Structure formats: C-alpha cells, structure tokens
Amino acid sequence: MTAIKHVCLDDFEEAASQSLDRNALNYFKSGADEEVTLKENRTAFHEYKILPRLLRDVSNIDLSTSILGQKVSMPICVAPTAMQRLAHNDGELATARACLEHDTLMGLSTLSTTSIETVAREVPDLKRWLQLYVYKDLKMTETFVRRAEQAGFTAVAVTVDTPILGKRRADERFKFKLPDNLRLANFDQKDLPEVASSEKSGLSSYVDQIQNRSLNWEHIKWLRSVTKMKIVLKGILTAEDAKLSVEHGVDAIWVSNHGGRQLDTVPSTISVLPSIVRAVQGSPVEVYLDGGVRTGTDVLKALALGAKAVFVGRPVLWGLATAGEEGVSEVLSILREELKLAMALSGCRNVSEIQPSLVKHVSQIAHI
C-alpha cells in the first residue's frame, strides 16, 4: 500500500497524533487554560489579506536573508522546543541535522534532552542560538550561558514570559512526566529536581522549584555583563516592553506568546506584530515572530508586517515524531516551497520586496 504523501504541515500533526503516546502528545499539543490564544495564533492570520502585485518577472525567487548578521537560506527558522526525544529517539540531533541541511537557524531549549555540547559536537556547522530560562541560581545560569558561548552558540534568546508556568490542563489532568529513560541533558541531575510525576504536571513542579520569579530588566543588564553573545528577548507582546527592550540594548525582539501555553487570552502574535515593529523603528533591533505559522502565506504576511524571520515550533515536533530527521526536513521543505510560491504569486522576487503594502487587515480592505 502506497503511503499517503504529506502535502501540508497539518498532515504531519495528524500523523504524529497517531504515533505519539498520550504523555508526549498532550505535552506538545496543549495550550493554557481554555486554549483561546492557542487557537487565535492560527486563525488571526486569516484576518490579513494579501494584495498581490502582478506583471513582474518572478522567474527567479531568492529567499535568503540574514539574522543578526548570519546569512540563512530562508526567513524560516526552528523555534526551541523542550524535550524533543519525547517525539523521536534522535531528538534535538535530528532537528539540528535537518536545519543544517536547509541552512537555517535552530534555537536549542534549556530543557533539551540533548546537551548543548553534544549538539555542537555532532552538528558543528549548525547555526544555533540558546534559549535561556533564568534560574533562581544565577551562578548556575551564568555557567550555562558561558558553556553555550564556548560551544559556538551566537545568541541567547531569553524567555521572559515564564517567571511561573502557565496552567496547561492536559498536563495536569494526565500528570505529565519525563519518562525514566530520558533526562534534561544540560544539567547534572543532582543539581536540579527531576521532571517526575507529581500531584499536577511534573514540569509545573519542576519550574516552581527552579525558575526565577523575580526576573526583571536588571537581569537583562546582568546577562549583558556575562556574555558576548547577542541577546534576544523572547515573549514580548507590547509596544511598551519593545521600547524598554531598545533602551536596554538588546539585539532583537522575538514576538511570542509561548505558543499559547502561558497566559491565555493574550493576543495572537501576528496581531501585535505591527505595533512592536513601529515601537522599535529607527533602532537596529530586529523583530521575529512565532505562533501559529503553518503555511507559506503565513510567513509572507509576517514578513510584510515587519518580521525579519519567523520561527516554527510544533510543526517541527510533528515532523520529528513522524519520520525523525527526514520528517523535520520535509516540514522545512514544504514551508520553503510554499513561501517561494506565495512570493512569486504576489510579485516578490526577494525578501526585500515584501513590503507592508502587500498585506492589509480585513478591516482595511473596504477603504482601499
């Protein structure tokens, strides 16, 4: 019997839903509380319409761009997602190899099941950033950051929306835990608690014990003092915080609501992107976006509204669960080809030609 070809990213989610166990599937799939933001991250893209320019020579399309000075083959990068060996035994290494194949950037989670040193050793040419949680133990955090810098990571993306973990009902209902054969590989287990079974989610209990609830702008200054890596703030959703980010000298802002997994009913990322881009205008700060990106037209819309690049998370996990490295590569290939098609059909030959006039919110269409 011939296997059904995956033609879009949703096909991978359907396939992964059949192969993952309940513990892993619920963890990867769930959002906070009623999952309003989780759903709106996707549906909000439909509120923006593309106004194509025609009669342009689109026989050659160039997707390449640069992110904090690093050239990548396309403005589609891989977001940091925790515990990837829950999806496939090769985990983060499979994802890293697929990113290298596509010459794009990978964010590696603090909560990875493969250490930063292992990824650097096994995939040395990978363009890589560290996603960082600031722990209560600042010395441990500093040591971790210095390890990443030594291992060739070029930027640290500080997750700023998680001083405490959001309530994910599926994780609590089924008491999520990391299986006994896996561990968080970046730290010695004797120094930190395990993501083990508890009265609620094992991850929630873990975060309650180690996460720094006092996280504030002074910690960003502190981080600047301990590393030469570029600093990206991941989780910014307001123009006010974007302006403060500029004032504190960060290199980039990552518009994110943690995949709808933290505070439910915050806005979708695409809906707040324009205000954040306006807030940093005139500064060298770059802006990225994640959350709900599933198609090439989603990517096109985000770029038109001012994002330098987008990051994808869950689709990569679905590809990983479905076929390991090959699955991740196929996910990236589909997005690449869809973006290329969307650019051609809208009259854009390279990413610099993707301008704000290309996209309008549906409320503005009647006034054009």
Side-chain angles (χ1 to χ4, degrees):
M1 185 175 179
T2 304
I4 298 173
K5 181 182 179 182
H6 302 110
V7 299
C8 65
L9 268 54
D10 284 343
D11 289 347
F12 287 92
E13 181 173 358
E14 184 176 348
S17 295
Q18 303 301 316
S19 63
L20 287 170
D21 64 46
R22 187 175 69 178
N23 184 62
L25 179 62
N26 285 334
Y27 172 68
F28 290 143
K29 196 170 186 176
S30 63
D33 294 311
E34 296 179 291
E35 300 186 338
V36 173
T37 298
L38 175 66
K39 297 179 181 76
E40 290 182 353
N41 269 349
R42 292 197 63 177
T43 59
F45 277 98
H46 302 159
E47 298 174 11
Y48 291 88
K49 305 301 177 183
I50 299 169
L51 302 173
R53 298 300 307 275
L54 307 177
L55 296 173
R56 295 183 171 183
D57 179 359
V58 292
S59 53
N60 291 295
I61 304 293
D62 180 10
L63 273 60
S64 67
T65 189
S66 65
I67 302 173
L68 291 182
Q70 283 189 303
K71 188 161 185 179
V72 290
S73 70
M74 58 181 176
I76 301 165
C77 305
V78 170
T81 50
M83 302 180 251
Q84 291 184 20
R85 291 187 65 203
L86 281 170
H88 188 278
N89 191 51
D90 293 340
E92 291 84 2
L93 286 178
T95 301
R97 290 176 180 128
C99 288
L100 179 62
E101 177 189 347
H102 285 271
D103 189 23
T104 196
L105 179 75
M106 177 183 177
L108 190 68
S109 173
T110 291
L111 303 179
S112 62
T113 42
T114 308
S115 72
I116 55 176
E117 288 86 1
T118 300
V119 171
R121 183 180 66 250
E122 296 296 323
V123 197
D125 294 328
L126 173 71
K127 292 166 183 173
R128 52 195 183 269
W129 290 359
L130 172 69
Q131 175 275 330
L132 178 70
Y133 290 113
V134 177
Y135 286 169
K136 293 175 183 175
D137 186 337
L138 286 184
K139 190 62 182 174
M140 178 183 289
T141 305
E142 178 182 345
T143 300
F144 183 44
V145 169
R146 293 190 186 278
R147 283 169 51 201
E149 191 168 335
Q150 280 191 332
F153 287 73
T154 57
V156 53
V158 190
T159 296
V160 296
D161 61 9
T162 313
I164 185 172
L165 201 70
K167 182 178 181 179
R168 304 164 191 175
R169 294 178 183 178
D171 285 358
E172 292 196 8
R173 186 172 288 121
F174 298 107
K175 296 180 171 55
F176 169 77
K177 60 170 287 189
L178 194 60
D180 293 339
N181 64 313
L182 298 179
R183 69 179 188 88
L184 300 181
N186 281 317
F187 299 98
D188 192 320
Q189 293 303 101
K190 66 180 175 57
D191 296 327
L192 292 172
E194 295 182 2
V195 183
S197 58
S198 70
E199 287 303 307
K200 48 181 181 176
S201 157
L203 182 62
S204 180
S205 298
Y206 173 87
V207 170
D208 283 349
Q209 294 177 70
I210 56 92
Q211 208 83 327
N212 195 331
R213 294 194 186 192
S214 72
L215 184 65
N216 61 69
W217 292 104
E218 290 302 312
H219 289 98
I220 307 305
K221 290 181 182 177
W222 165 80
L223 183 61
R224 178 65 79 190
S225 74
V226 301
T227 184
K228 295 178 181 176
M229 289 188 289
K230 304 284 189 181
I231 296 177
V232 181
L233 296 192
K234 180 178 181 292
I236 300 296
L237 290 174
T238 66
E240 292 84 356
D241 281 339
K243 290 174 181 176
L244 283 169
S245 300
V246 174
E247 290 175 16
H248 284 80
V250 305
D251 298 288
I253 288 170
W254 188 326
V255 181
S256 176
N257 53 38
H258 215 108
R261 290 160 72 81
Q262 279 299 97
L263 178 62
D264 199 19
T265 74
V266 299
S268 65
T269 51
I270 193 68
S271 66
V272 299
L273 175 63
S275 65
I276 290 174
V277 170
R278 286 193 298 271
V280 304
Q281 198 166 16
S283 80
V285 171
E286 296 183 354
V287 179
Y288 321 119
L289 172 141
D290 70 19
V293 176
R294 295 295 184 276
T295 66
T297 53
D298 291 343
V299 180
L300 184 75
K301 291 171 184 179
L303 299 180
L305 293 173
K308 183 78 169 173
V310 302
F311 285 77
V312 290
R314 285 187 181 92
V316 168
L317 293 171
W318 307 143
L320 183 63
T322 302
E325 178 185 340
E326 183 181 346
V328 176
S329 182
E330 193 176 351
V331 164
L332 294 174
S333 291
I334 288 173
L335 268 183
R336 177 195 293 276
E337 292 307 311
E338 286 184 353
L339 175 58
K340 192 173 182 179
L341 177 62
M343 287 173 63
L345 292 177
S346 59
C348 299
R349 292 158 291 201
N350 54 62
V351 294
S352 67
E353 292 187 349
I354 303 174
Q355 294 295 312
S357 59
L358 188 67
V359 170
K360 298 292 182 187
H361 190 269
V362 66
S363 63
Q364 299 175 291
I365 298 294
H367 305 294
I368 295 176

